[in-house]
Structures are given as C-alpha cells and as structure tokens.
Amino acid sequence: MRNFLIFIFILFSTETITKAAGLAPKTKTIYVSSQSGQRVGYGAKRLMDGLIKAGFQIKFTVIDYQNKVPKGAKGIVISTVNDKVLFSQLPNSIKKSASEAGKEGFSISYAKDGNLYIVGADYSGTLYGCLELAEKISETRSLPTKISITDHPEMVLRGTCIGLQKPDYLPSHDVYEYPYTPETFPWLYDRSLWIKYLDMMVENRYNSLYLWNGHPFSSLLRLKDYPYAVEVDAATLKKNEEIFQFLTHEADKRGIWVIQMFYNIIIPKPFADKHGLKTQDRNRPIVPLIADYTKKSIAAFVEKYPNVGLMVALGEAMEGVGQDDIDWFTKTIIPGVKDGLKAAGINEEPPIVLRAHDTDAPSVMKAALPLYKNLYTENKFNGEALTTYAPRGAWAELNRKLADIGTVNISNVHILANLEPFRYGSADFIQKSVQAMNKIYNAKGLHLYPQHSYWDWPYAADDVKGRILEVDRDWIWYKEWARYAWNSDRDRPQEIKYWGKQLADKYGSSLADGKSILNAYEESGEISPKLLRRFGITDGNRQTLTLGMLMTQLINPYRYGVFTLMYESEAPEGEMIIDYAEKEWKKQGHIGETPVQIAKEVVEHGKKALASINEVRATKDTAEFNRLKNDMYCYDEMANFYAEKVKSALWILRYKYSNNVSDLEQAIPFLQKSVDHYTTLVKLSEGSYLYANSMQTKQRKIPMRGVDKTFIHWKEMLPVFTKELNHFKRSIDSLKSVNPNTVVKIMPYKPAEVTVINEGENYLIDKNVTVFADTNIQIKEVTAELIGLKGIKLAKDKQIKTGTEIKFTSKTPVKLLVGFFNQKDPKYLASPQLETDASANNYGQSEIKISNALVLNGFPPVNVHAYSFAAGAHTLNLGKGECLVLGFISDKQELRIFNAGLDGRGKDIDWLFE
C-alpha cells in the first residue's frame, strides 16, 4: 500500500506537468506493479519526464493482484524479473534475458503483444533500464519503434567520494579531525546540493557514495556510556541526524549505497581531554577504554543507520602492519557491528570495506572472514596520483592477492596530487586505466575521488566570483570513469565519436570541434602522468606536481624520501634522472622509459593540445571553454618548464662525475628557459586559480613545505625558482675563483643539555663505538658533524618487539637526531613517510637532514632525521624496529641539509643551489 501511494503521488505530479506543458496528441500508458520499490518509482518518474519533454501525454496505471496489463495496449511495462504481481505477465524471453543479465542488469524490448518491456534483474536494474530508455528518447526526442537492449555493469561497485575535511586544521585539532557543524561544513546541510550530486551519480550509474572523515561517530550520535564524547551541541546533532537520514534515503532511491569511512584509531577531542589521552597516537598500543568506546560507537551507528556501510582504514592513525590491526578489526570493529545489528533486530550484515592502505590486508581478511562474511577490500590504483594504465610489480601483485581472497576488491583512484588543479578529461587514459583494474588487478569495483579540490569540496579551485562547483566543472571526469566502470571494452573509434558529440553539445560546436576538444584533453592528459612517474619524488599528496620541483629534488631525490614504489610499480620500466646520468657517464646502455624521452614527449603533447584547442569555435558556455583553453596553455608551459629543467639537471649531474665547471655552464641556458616558462605559467594561473593544491597543511612538502596556506600558488614559487637560478650562477663563479687547496672547516654539532628520564646509558658518537645495549655492533664510518654527540644506547631486540620510547625534559627548544637505516626490512624502523602516516611531519621529521651519515658494521647506511621540540617535558614514541637515537642539539643550531656520501655513490652537489 505504501508503494501504491508513492506512485499515486508520482502520477499526480506528472499529470500536472503534462497539462502545464500543453501537450495533447501523443499518449502513452506506463504500467507498474504495486509491489515496486522506490528505485523503480524513481526510474519511472525519470522516464515519464523524458517522454513528456518529447511531447507525450502520460497515463499511469498501477497493476495489483486484481487487474492485469491489457492485451494490445502498446504501453510501457516496468518491472523487476521476480515481481510478484507482474511475473506471470512478463514474456518469458524478456524474463530470461533480464535474469541472465545478473545484478543491476536489465532488458528493454518490445514483445508480440505490442508492449515495450523494461525488466530489471533487481530494483537497480529496472531503474537503470528506465534511465537507458529515457536517454534514448532524449537523443531523438521520440520513443524508439524498435529496440532490444540487454545490459549490465562490469564493475560490481562504482562509487565516488566526498571528503568532510578541510584544507587546513581546525583549532586544537589534528589531521582528519573535523566535526560536522554548519560553521565548518555549511554545504553539508544544503539538500538541493545533495540532490544535484545524487542525480549526477545516478545519471552516470554510480551505485556507492563514500563519505570520508576521521571520526564521524561523535558528530552523528550520543552514547549512553560516553555522553561527553559527542563533539557538537544538541541542535547540531539533531541537524546532523536529519541530514544523514535525508541523504541515505535519497541515495537509496537512486540505487546508491552510502558508505561511511573512518580512521583507526582516532578518538574525539572531548573524550581524549577527559581521559588525558591524545586524539591520535600511531604508536599507542590498544587501550581497553578506547576499544570499548569505539566498539560502542560502531554499535550505536549500525543500530541507528542499519543500511549504511562502513569503510575501515586501519593504517595511518595506528601502527600500520601487525597483530594490532588484526585484533582491532576482529575484536573491536566487527563485534561492534554485530552488537548494533542485534540491538536493531537485523540479521542481514551491512557491508564492511577494509582499506588496504598501510596494513596487511590479506592477513586481516584471513582472520576476519570466519567472523563476518559481507567484507570487501579497497586499494589505491596509482597511489595518490594518476601515473599509468599499466601498473606492474609489487603493487599489482598486492591487488591481485586481494582479489584472490574471494571477496570484491575495489580500485581506488585516490587524491590526484599530480593532476590538481588543471582540468583532466582523457577518455583514452581513463578507459585503459579501468581495463587495467579489470585485467591486471582483477578488481571489481571503482572508488573515485574528485579530480581536484578534494579538501575544499564542493568548490573548484578556479578564481571565479562566487566560486564554481567541482561537480559542475569536472563533469567529464565523473562521466568518463563511470562509463568505463560500466563497460571498459568499448570500441575506441566509437568512443571518439561519442565524446566528440558530448563536448560539441556542451560548447555549441561542430562534431569535428568536439573531437578536437577531446584530442586536447587526451594530449594534455599524458603530461602530468608522465612527468610524475619519471621525475617525481612520490605518488602521495605531499607533492604538488603542477607547482614544479626544485633542482635538488631532481638531482638528489633520496634526500627527500623518494617513494621508489612509484617507479617500480606505477610506471613503465625506465630510469630516474640520477640513474640515467650515471649510465651516460659510464657509457652504459639505457633501459625502458628515459628522462630525455619523457622531456621530449611532454613538450610534444603540449604542442598538440594547443593546436587542437585553438581550432575550436565555441558558442555555448564560453566562459568555461575559455577556462579549459587556459588550462591547455598551463599544461604546455608546465611541460616546457620540466623539460628544460631536466636538460639542465643532466648537465649538473654530469659535473658530479667530471668535476668540469664547463658542464655546469652548459646547464645555465636550460635552467633560464625553465624559469622563463614558469614565469608564463604564473601569468596564466594568476587570476585564474586560487591555489594549486587543496591540502594546505604541513603534509605538503614538495616543492616547498606548505604551512599556514603558504606555497600554494605559482606566484609564490617563482621567487624560489629565480633564487635557485641566481644561486647556481654564483656557485659557478665561486668554483672558478676558489683555491683548489682550500680546506673547508667542519663544525661538529654540539650536544644540548637534556635530561633523559627512561633511558640511562649514553655513548659518544665516533668510529669503533658500540651503539646498541645488547650487541657489540660498532660504528664503521661516521660524518664528522655527528662526532661527539651523546647517543642513547638502546637494546635493538626491544626496539623490534615493542618499539622505542624516549622521555625527556629540556629547558630550551631542542632537536633530537634519529638515524634510520636506508634499506627496507621489517627489522628496521621505517623512516617517516607521509604516504602512509599523516603524522609523519608533526615534529618536522619527514625530511632527511643528513643522507648516508653513518655506517655500522654489517648494516646499510643511516639517514638522519631531526625531531623538533619546545622547552618542557616530552615523550616520543617511535614504531617497532631498529633505529639509532643519536642525541640532542640546540634548536638554534644550524642543521645544513647534505649528503655525507658514506654509501659510496658519490659527492654531494646540492650546495650548488642552496
């Protein structure tokens, strides 16, 4: 009866629209079962709207157990294949086609009785069938007289995500900590915006919406046992409950499953303050109080919102790999979900998506599946960037391993740190990427981030009065990924024609012009992926590629913590700049994709993109077209900036081997051209963009550390690159005038006065000194700057089992120097990595200060990082694994960044630029 009333309401609304339109001649009757759900109702409404626009007058008939579809009615019958009322009235051939289409599949066909049948394998399939027919009608403004379509999606899950997060931190909060309030997220309460976004999703056949937040529970419910943990006032809590219920209802109507993501382990600030805890502590063991709070939060959430899925990020806010991950998932999260289901009297398990980021997901899933069946996994496609449609190596193997578990693995197109903020719409690159998800990763789901401005959603980065919405600006981004998530094996020539027409319609141009716009998208779409995968430091969001790179980042990437997985798995086989230069000097052959090759290719892509976009004559939405055109010029200048800088870098690296100053002089013209191109890029972006990167916190490191919204625009970087050029010229002049016999005086660091509370034994750093309390391992080589510092002697077995904790007090600000072994091995403590740990720069520790500074007998070289502390009492918890605590120095003491060269790979030449 409830469904029947819904349809009566739809009929009433439709009749009003029809009369208002003044349409008379063509009449069509739509038949729907009284047992249809709201998804079928929504699909029928969209189909009716399409028919009305095409000039039809619509009659609407609800079929129940007392009546049947009249024979020879020549109407449109909308049904699911197993509908209790219409099942016996559906033609067997159409029922068979719809059933075989599978989940979310449908069949549209005329039958011998003259009726047009839209039959879905389930409610979502029927909805999609209605939308498919509505689109056919819209294309021709008529109802097809002949049609026979059976279709179904390739990807089981096709989803987009929205971050309830901000470009900067809230006062007294840490990363990811953003309570839901009207002041912080005014758009969250805008129902018309949600309808607009959900309509975009259903039109593109997305079926899942991920909401990202560090700890949403304290904004959505109040716990009986922990009432003080809620982070919003009573009025806001009520608003949050109402908008969440509205969102989930409207999403379900469109066949969209809402999935709430949260990080582990983050606790709300009121709860943390009451119990004297930190909201986040990656190296904190599982605390029973926190586990109880989290379990009860999840239970209350599931009881209140039983139809909402959960996405669990075990890594990043807790130690990434180990038994704690397994215990937290199986002893806190899953029991919490089960308790919520029991309280709600529900037997059906809501889905839980396990994010594979910074955790051993296969091991976690092995332990969890006996306890809970409705599990999924999710893993990044190209890290936090878009670099290749042919992933390989360890990353591809991990994705295949996740798929082999037997549950659905979802491929996540994460924060696009190398694409933002310029427009991206390469249908070719995206189609090949989805094909790779299927054929290389064996993934059966897509989880899509906004193309840019994730942290500033819903607004685009464009400098437009009143701002423009990201969902409007990046329409083609959502449409392309969705089209290929539905079917990635589409014929390429037909796709060129399809996208050409889409673009021609948008900009009021000819089909040929539409194809030219597509070509501009596709040529420019190769630039950022190629640049990052061959020259970049990381696939993570600590690098903003479009802002450029420093010369030291090109010639000494290891100093900046180069993320080698990007080169090994998210790029074709090839060479980094430093490897290419070394092979050139040694006259060795090159392998795969080379820096010189990419420098040439990106320049050519830029030229072709400009040639294509300049052919186009737009007559509609010209303001947006001009912004798109400007982006093509930005891509071109960026490509030339990098290409010229790479040419310069290769001459500079040659000097590392030749010691010939003339090699450095050869580099100057290329570096000058690079700055010239960047100057043009500044002119193109100033007045066009508010920022390059939407994350404007201390996590941003490359090209420059971004703190308090600094170094977020090209105009801020131009003085840096100009200074770099001028410093380089002065360095060459100095080399020409320096006395070759001059000896540079080395200034060792001076120990600071600090009281270490929990560790007693010290050692003075020097050659042949033992460094661990439980072994006789000695220092083999050490840079002179460290000699004489007071290291803290720790037991390496204890470091491996329980981690390292240093408690100390200081009357003045200090830096603690920590040595990390320069080799990946489970027994070594991993150096701070912002790719996996958002807190990895809380003490300014993410950058290497001295590369290859010390070597122990039988160990790899040690890189030194510095942790800064104010005066007072402190506790530093480091993760599990061997490391060296090398002592304290004054915070005022200059800490020049350099490569001590004890790895045997050659001298440090960074001083040429700083």
Side-chain angles (χ1 to χ4, degrees):
M1 185 64 180
R2 179 174 178 273
N3 289 329
F4 180 76
L5 291 174
I6 290 171
F7 288 118
I8 289 295
F9 172 75
I10 293 172
L11 175 60
F12 177 79
S13 301
T14 303
E15 286 181 338
T16 302
I17 294 169
T18 307
K19 290 173 182 175
L23 302 173
K26 297 183 286 187
T27 301
K28 186 62 65 174
T29 302
I30 293 178
Y31 300 93
V32 182
S33 165
S34 62
Q35 300 303 303
S36 298
Q38 62 175 352
R39 293 182 190 177
V40 177
Y42 179 84
K45 178 67 165 61
R46 293 292 293 267
L47 176 58
M48 286 188 286
D49 289 345
L51 286 164
I52 290 166
K53 287 180 182 177
F56 285 87
Q57 189 170 24
I58 303 302
K59 291 184 179 179
F60 194 91
T61 302
V62 178
I63 304 296
D64 56 24
Y65 291 105
Q66 280 69 49
N67 60 347
K68 292 186 176 182
V69 177
K71 292 183 179 181
K74 294 185 179 181
I76 301 174
V77 181
I78 301 173
S79 177
T80 55
V81 72
N82 293 316
D83 184 87
K84 293 178 181 178
V85 171
L86 288 174
F87 180 81
S88 62
Q89 301 180 55
L90 300 176
N92 288 331
S93 61
I94 296 177
K95 282 194 290 188
K96 183 173 184 294
S97 296
S99 296
E100 291 176 352
K103 186 177 179 181
E104 297 185 304
F106 61 86
S107 185
I108 306 173
S109 181
Y110 282 99
K112 291 180 180 179
D113 62 9
N115 288 318
L116 177 58
Y117 286 86
I118 304 172
V119 181
D122 49 29
Y123 288 141
S124 289
T126 307
L127 163 63
Y128 294 147
C130 291
L131 294 177
E132 180 72 19
L133 183 58
E135 288 177 3
K136 298 291 184 189
I137 293 167
S138 177
E139 289 172 7
T140 61
R141 295 195 64 79
S142 64
L143 181 67
T145 56
K146 291 183 179 180
I147 187 171
S148 181
I149 298 174
T150 299
D151 204 359
H152 66 93
E154 195 172 83
M155 291 286 197
V156 174
L157 286 174
R158 307 168 305 282
T160 65
C161 93
I162 290 174
L164 280 102
Q165 304 187 99
K166 302 293 287 184
D168 49 2
Y169 293 173
L170 296 180
S172 73
H173 285 77
D174 208 336
V175 62
Y176 305 132
E177 297 175 11
Y178 300 101
Y180 298 175
T181 68
E183 295 76 25
T184 304
F185 301 110
W187 57 264
L188 174 63
Y189 309 92
D190 185 344
R191 299 191 177 204
S192 62
L193 177 61
W194 279 120
I195 294 298
K196 176 186 178 73
Y197 190 84
L198 293 172
D199 282 348
M200 177 280 293
M201 291 186 69
V202 72
E203 285 161 10
N204 286 309
R205 314 305 192 262
Y206 286 112
N207 66 358
S208 43
L209 170 61
Y210 299 80
L211 302 177
W212 281 63
N213 185 269
H215 188 79
F217 308 117
S218 56
S219 294
L220 292 169
L221 45 88
R222 187 186 300 276
L223 298 180
K224 179 181 177 182
D225 292 347
Y226 302 99
Y228 52 85
V230 69
E231 291 194 88
V232 297
D233 60 39
T236 300
L237 181 61
K238 188 173 186 295
K239 285 183 180 180
N240 291 346
E241 292 171 340
E242 290 172 350
I243 197 65
F244 207 78
Q245 287 164 349
F246 166 81
L247 170 60
T248 53
H249 173 76
E250 290 295 329
D252 183 59
K253 190 161 67 176
R254 293 162 175 80
I256 298 165
W257 160 36
V258 175
I259 304 167
Q260 179 64 66
M261 177 271 181
F262 62 101
Y263 284 93
N264 294 276
I265 304 172
I266 296 180
I267 54 178
K269 185 167 173 50
F271 180 92
D273 290 346
K274 182 175 177 63
H275 296 285
L277 299 166
K278 293 181 179 179
T279 56
Q280 301 181 47
D281 187 347
R282 179 178 170 86
N283 299 307
R284 176 171 53 201
I286 293 175
V287 178
L289 174 68
I290 297 176
D292 185 65
Y293 162 75
T294 305
K295 179 182 174 183
K296 287 176 178 174
S297 294
I298 293 169
F301 181 83
V302 170
E303 182 182 3
K304 195 166 192 174
Y305 307 105
N307 296 319
V308 178
L310 290 172
M311 180 182 219
V312 180
L314 289 176
E316 195 156 336
M318 68 184 293
E319 190 173 2
V321 178
Q323 188 61 40
D324 280 359
D325 282 16
I326 295 171
D327 289 345
W328 189 254
F329 196 64
T330 58
K331 296 179 181 180
T332 298
I333 292 172
I334 289 176
V337 173
K338 287 187 171 183
D339 287 351
L341 292 174
K342 184 178 179 181
I346 296 172
N347 294 320
E348 186 178 356
E349 295 177 342
I352 303 176
V353 182
L354 173 65
R355 189 182 180 210
H357 173 67
D358 193 31
T359 191
D360 182 359
S363 295
V364 175
M365 289 289 283
K366 182 178 180 181
L369 277 168
L371 307 174
Y372 199 92
K373 298 303 178 187
N374 199 11
L375 296 175
Y376 297 74
T377 56
E378 178 259 24
N379 202 32
K380 294 173 183 174
F381 178 58
N382 285 166
E384 297 181 343
L386 193 62
T387 58
T388 184
Y389 44 75
R392 60 192 179 93
W395 200 245
E397 185 57 36
L398 171 60
N399 278 278
R400 286 192 290 268
K401 191 174 182 180
L402 293 171
D404 288 344
I405 290 171
T407 58
V408 169
N409 186 40
I410 304 163
S411 217
N412 172 214
V413 181
H414 204 70
I415 288 170
L416 286 306
N418 67 325
L419 300 189
E420 65 174 355
F422 305 139
R423 288 156 177 76
Y424 191 94
S426 174
D428 182 46
F429 203 108
I430 289 172
Q431 181 176 12
K432 290 174 179 175
S433 294
V434 180
Q435 289 171 345
M437 292 175 185
N438 280 294
K439 297 173 183 177
I440 298 177
Y441 283 177
N442 300 326
K444 289 301 175 187
L446 167 71
H447 175 193
L448 182 69
Y449 264 56
Q451 188 254 300
H452 87 298
S453 210
Y454 166 78
W455 300 93
D456 197 24
W457 205 88
Y459 300 111
D462 301 73
D463 189 357
V464 176
K465 187 177 181 180
R467 305 293 293 272
I468 56 177
L469 294 175
E470 183 274 337
V471 68
D472 288 336
R473 196 203 87 154
D474 296 332
W475 66 276
I476 197 168
W477 171 261
Y478 292 107
K479 198 171 187 69
E480 286 175 342
W481 285 102
R483 182 171 174 82
Y484 299 121
W486 184 276
N487 179 7
S488 64
D489 289 326
R490 299 178 188 268
D491 179 66
R492 173 65 180 157
Q494 290 301 314
E495 289 306 286
I496 294 173
K497 183 177 179 181
Y498 172 84
W499 292 113
K501 186 177 185 306
Q502 292 286 314
L503 290 161
D505 289 347
K506 177 171 178 60
Y507 295 114
S509 62
S510 66
L511 179 60
D513 279 353
K515 290 180 179 180
S516 291
I517 299 171
L518 175 65
N519 191 61
Y521 266 128
E522 295 189 336
E523 291 292 346
S524 65
E526 294 286 340
I527 294 172
S528 287
K530 287 184 175 181
L531 287 175
L532 187 70
R533 75 189 189 208
R534 196 48 52 208
F535 308 138
I537 299 294
T538 173
D539 66 5
N541 62 19
R542 66 183 168 102
Q543 174 166 4
T544 305
L545 180 84
T546 55
L547 283 178
M549 291 173 67
L550 304 178
M551 183 59 80
T552 53
Q553 290 161 351
L554 293 175
I555 65 174
N556 188 10
Y558 286 98
R559 162 182 160 183
Y560 296 90
V562 64
F563 193 63
T564 55
L565 183 69
M566 177 177 66
Y567 290 93
E568 296 160 359
S569 289
E570 297 159 9
E573 185 178 21
E575 297 173 359
M576 296 171 65
I577 294 176
I578 53 175
D579 299 324
Y580 182 91
E582 184 179 4
K583 287 185 176 184
E584 280 288 288
W585 178 254
K586 294 178 179 178
K587 299 188 179 346
Q588 296 175 343
H590 297 290
I591 298 172
E593 194 176 75
T594 68
V596 172
Q597 169 196 340
I598 292 303
K600 291 178 180 177
E601 287 181 3
V602 294
V603 169
E604 191 62 25
H605 286 310
K607 287 180 181 177
K608 290 179 178 178
L610 289 185
S612 290
I613 204 71
N614 284 327
E615 292 177 356
V616 177
R617 181 176 174 271
T619 61
K620 280 171 54 181
D621 206 354
T622 54
E624 172 59 18
F625 177 78
N626 288 332
R627 288 190 285 267
L628 171 62
K629 189 173 182 178
N630 189 66
D631 278 358
M632 295 303 147
Y633 278 88
C634 289
Y635 272 119
D636 180 61
E637 294 298 339
M638 182 178 73
N640 279 278
F641 160 80
Y642 272 103
E644 297 298 332
K645 197 155 193 172
V646 167
K647 294 174 191 175
S648 180
L650 290 172
W651 280 107
I652 292 162
L653 286 168
R654 180 179 174 84
Y655 165 76
K656 185 175 180 179
Y657 303 100
S658 71
N659 288 314
N660 190 336
V661 178
S662 65
D663 287 336
L664 297 178
E665 291 177 315
Q666 294 274 17
I668 292 176
F670 298 115
L671 193 55
Q672 180 65 63
K673 287 180 183 177
S674 177
V675 173
D676 292 344
H677 284 292
Y678 201 87
T679 302
T680 306
L681 180 56
V682 170
K683 292 176 182 176
L684 291 168
S685 59
E686 195 166 12
S688 299
Y689 281 103
L690 297 170
Y691 52 77
N693 46 309
S694 61
M695 179 191 252
Q696 295 157 15
T697 63
K698 57 191 175 184
Q699 275 75 24
R700 289 290 188 184
K701 295 286 292 181
I702 299 166
M704 296 290 284
R705 186 183 182 199
V707 181
D708 299 328
K709 299 188 177 182
T710 55
F711 296 107
I712 63 173
H713 199 281
W714 297 265
K715 64 184 177 184
E716 294 176 273
M717 283 303 305
L718 181 57
V720 176
F721 293 132
T722 303
K723 182 180 178 181
E724 185 180 61
L725 171 63
N726 292 334
H727 193 290
F728 181 51
K729 290 177 180 178
R730 289 196 300 271
S731 296
I732 293 174
D733 290 339
S734 298
L735 281 171
K736 288 178 177 179
S737 60
V738 72
N739 184 338
N741 297 318
T742 300
V743 177
V744 179
K745 186 177 180 180
I746 295 173
M747 299 294 291
Y749 302 134
K750 295 179 181 179
E753 290 297 323
V754 171
T755 301
V756 178
I757 299 169
N758 65 326
E759 297 288 349
E761 190 175 357
N762 291 100
Y763 64 94
L764 292 180
I765 295 176
D766 205 344
K767 289 185 180 181
N768 305 318
V769 172
T770 58
V771 295
F772 293 116
D774 54 348
T775 74
N776 293 320
I777 296 167
Q778 295 181 339
I779 296 174
K780 179 181 178 182
E781 299 286 345
V782 60
T783 186
E785 284 82 353
L786 296 178
I787 293 175
L789 282 182
K790 292 181 181 179
I792 300 175
K793 191 171 285 190
L794 304 167
K796 70 181 186 70
D797 285 349
K798 183 181 177 182
Q799 286 185 311
I800 293 171
K801 291 177 183 177
T802 62
T804 299
E805 181 181 78
I806 305 295
K807 293 183 177 181
F808 65 94
T809 61
S810 173
K811 294 180 180 179
T812 60
V814 294
K815 291 187 179 77
L816 174 60
L817 304 185
V818 179
F820 295 88
F821 294 103
N822 190 8
Q823 182 177 303
K824 291 182 180 179
D825 192 303
K827 67 183 179 182
Y828 300 139
L829 176 63
S831 60
Q833 291 185 349
L834 283 165
E835 282 80 9
T836 55
D837 178 11
S839 65
N841 201 41
N842 282 2
Y843 304 97
Q845 76 270 33
S846 67
E847 187 174 64
I848 298 172
K849 299 301 182 183
I850 311 176
S851 305
N852 307 298
L854 181 150
V855 179
L856 304 182
N857 288 311
F859 281 70
V862 170
N863 295 331
V864 177
H865 294 242
Y867 292 68
S868 295
F869 297 92
H874 301 279
T875 298
L876 176 64
N877 284 311
L878 300 172
K880 297 174 184 177
E882 299 170 25
C883 68
L884 300 178
V885 179
L886 300 170
F888 294 87
I889 64 173
S890 170
D891 194 55
K892 294 180 180 179
Q893 185 160 4
E894 183 182 0
L895 195 60
R896 187 180 75 83
I897 298 172
F898 70 99
N899 181 3
L902 297 184
D903 60 342
R905 295 192 64 174
K907 62 186 179 182
D908 170 30
I909 57 173
D910 290 11
W911 57 269
L912 289 165
F913 298 94
E914 54 191 24

